[in-house]
Amino acid sequence: MNSDYSHSTYCEPDSEGDCTTHFPYTVRVSRLEDVEQSAEILAESFHSRSGPMGYIYPLLRLGISEDLRNRVRSPSPHYVCLVAVETSNSSNPLKVAGTVEMGVRFRPGGVGSSDRSISTSPRSHQQLYISNLAVKAIYRRQGIASALLQSCEQMALRWGCPHLYLHVLENNHQARRLYYRLGYRLHRIDWSWECWLFSKPRKLLLYKHLSAQPRAEVSAQERDRS
């Protein structure tokens, strides 16, 4: 199976609708040698090094690395970790710029179901879920997150699943703009007692129905929007 999903140049509009500088890269299935770079990107994106958190940051990064290594080494039938790899730097052709994971999750109330097929309906107990989308800080605003998500959509369609889900925090307005621009819509607001007690932002479960649109047509539309 060809594990490269794109080798192109993407351009993501900024808040004014203009495009920032872009560079060529490849989106492909992650390999074991990518894990350390991907773990560093995830740790930097989701954990702070400042204050008391700086003392436990190495442990958090180590935990992320080991968990990701185990998933990449022994993936389930419907799990994939994708990476965006910079290809313009000949001295370091395996430099990971971003990463994302996709796999089947159970909805609440769905655990124990005898049906092991992928969700083909938003009412199914199993959902194809995107997680751990992260882009290294120096590569942001260059369309990498969009390319990773689009590659997930291509693979989901290959698996015969026309629906995708992901979570985003209510106060992460930049990520919400990206997801809405790519066609994701609100499916459910997840609320917990921590949101009320500690004034934490709620989690929004977003949902997208996929259509088997030819890649050439999608690329043309992306250029038109740019």
Side-chain angles (χ1 to χ4, degrees):
M1 181 181 69
N2 185 0
S3 59
D4 290 353
Y5 287 89
S6 61
H7 185 188
S8 183
T9 299
Y10 283 76
C11 187
E12 184 168 329
D14 59 21
S15 57
E16 284 76 35
D18 297 323
C19 290
T20 57
T21 304
H22 50 267
F23 67 94
Y25 56 90
T26 296
V27 176
R28 60 166 170 78
V29 174
S30 179
R31 304 164 185 163
L32 284 176
E33 58 264 31
D34 302 321
V35 167
E36 288 302 318
Q37 293 184 68
S38 296
E40 184 63 30
I41 293 172
L42 289 168
E44 290 178 345
S45 298
F46 299 116
H47 300 285
S48 173
R49 292 189 181 187
S50 61
M53 291 298 295
Y55 295 102
I56 63 173
Y57 180 87
L59 293 177
L60 293 171
R61 186 194 178 284
L62 178 61
I64 292 172
S65 176
E66 289 305 308
D67 288 344
L68 181 58
R69 189 182 309 277
N70 289 334
R71 291 194 295 272
V72 171
R73 181 186 290 120
S74 303
S76 62
H78 294 115
Y79 163 84
V80 68
C81 177
L82 301 177
V83 290
V85 181
E86 183 181 3
T87 56
S88 60
N89 186 354
S90 58
S91 63
N92 190 4
L94 294 179
K95 198 167 187 178
V96 176
T99 182
V100 68
E101 294 177 75
M102 181 175 67
V104 174
R105 289 192 178 185
F106 286 94
R107 277 198 310 121
V111 177
S113 170
S114 60
D115 181 9
R116 288 320 199 212
S117 61
I118 302 181
S119 166
T120 57
S121 166
R123 296 182 179 275
S124 171
H125 289 315
Q126 298 185 62
Q127 299 170 340
L128 197 55
Y129 184 86
I130 291 176
S131 62
N132 293 336
L133 173 64
V135 177
K136 195 172 181 64
I138 61 173
Y139 295 124
R140 290 172 186 167
R141 307 301 304 165
Q142 300 183 56
I144 295 176
S146 298
L148 287 166
L149 288 169
Q150 289 166 1
S151 295
C152 284
E153 294 173 11
Q154 294 171 34
M155 180 163 280
L157 289 172
R158 290 186 183 185
W159 290 349
C161 182
H163 305 99
L164 272 178
Y165 296 82
L166 58 83
H167 273 107
V168 62
L169 291 178
E170 188 176 26
N171 63 348
N172 192 343
H173 300 293
Q174 183 175 349
R176 287 175 64 182
R177 284 195 296 270
L178 169 65
Y179 297 141
Y180 284 126
R181 182 169 62 82
L182 293 178
Y184 289 83
R185 296 295 180 260
L186 180 64
H187 180 67
R188 185 180 69 234
I189 298 177
D190 290 339
W191 185 93
S192 69
W193 62 269
E194 293 180 336
C195 298
W196 173 77
L197 190 60
F198 300 109
S199 299
K200 289 188 175 182
R202 297 177 298 179
K203 289 183 178 181
L204 309 181
L205 180 63
L206 304 185
Y207 157 82
K208 181 176 181 179
H209 175 73
L210 307 177
S211 60
Q213 194 175 20
R215 182 166 179 77
E217 183 178 346
V218 173
S219 300
Q221 291 182 359
E222 287 294 323
R223 289 195 298 269
D224 291 343
R225 282 200 293 266
S226 300

